[in-house]
């Protein structure tokens, strides 16, 4: 168990902004279909049915290669 804090802000009937310690999310939809977007995934669901679909969002972070050199040099073959 632990302390959980969440803030929910309704913007009209269809849009809700949720904020918690992992980050914000935006939900759009009503009683029939709902789509939620946060920083990691998009979820489309049919409320009350237990049916939903999750799709991961691309992170955009690529592994960086170190700029260090090994000190080895390559030279042309000597004759």
């Amino acid at each position: 168990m632990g302390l959980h804090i969440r803030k929910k802000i309704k913007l009209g009937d269809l849009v809700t902004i949720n904020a918690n310690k992992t980050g914000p999310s935006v939900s759009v939809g009503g009683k029939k279909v709902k789509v939620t977007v946060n920083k990691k995934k998009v979820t489309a669901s049919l409320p009350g049915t237990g049916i939903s679909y999750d799709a991961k969002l691309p992170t955009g972070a690529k592994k960086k290669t170190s700029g260090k050199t090994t000190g080895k040099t390559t030279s042309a073959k000597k004759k």
Side-chain angles (χ1 to χ4, degrees):
M1 305 260 270
L3 179 64
H4 299 278
I5 298 172
R6 187 181 86 178
K7 180 66 178 172
K8 183 176 182 177
I9 302 168
K10 281 194 91 159
L11 303 174
D13 292 335
L14 298 177
V15 180
T16 304
I17 299 173
N18 297 301
N20 60 29
K21 69 179 183 178
T22 60
S25 67
V26 176
S27 297
V28 179
K31 293 181 179 181
K32 299 197 183 234
V33 176
K34 183 166 113 176
V35 176
T36 303
V37 179
N38 64 23
K39 64 184 179 181
K40 293 183 181 179
K41 66 181 179 178
V42 175
T43 303
S45 63
L46 300 172
T49 64
I51 299 171
S52 65
Y53 178 78
D54 293 337
K56 288 184 180 180
L57 292 175
T59 60
K62 295 182 181 178
K63 285 188 175 181
K64 293 183 179 180
T65 58
S66 69
K68 295 180 181 178
T69 58
T70 59
K72 295 180 183 178
T73 58
T74 57
S75 61
K77 201 176 198 182
K78 293 182 182 180
K79 291 185 178 182

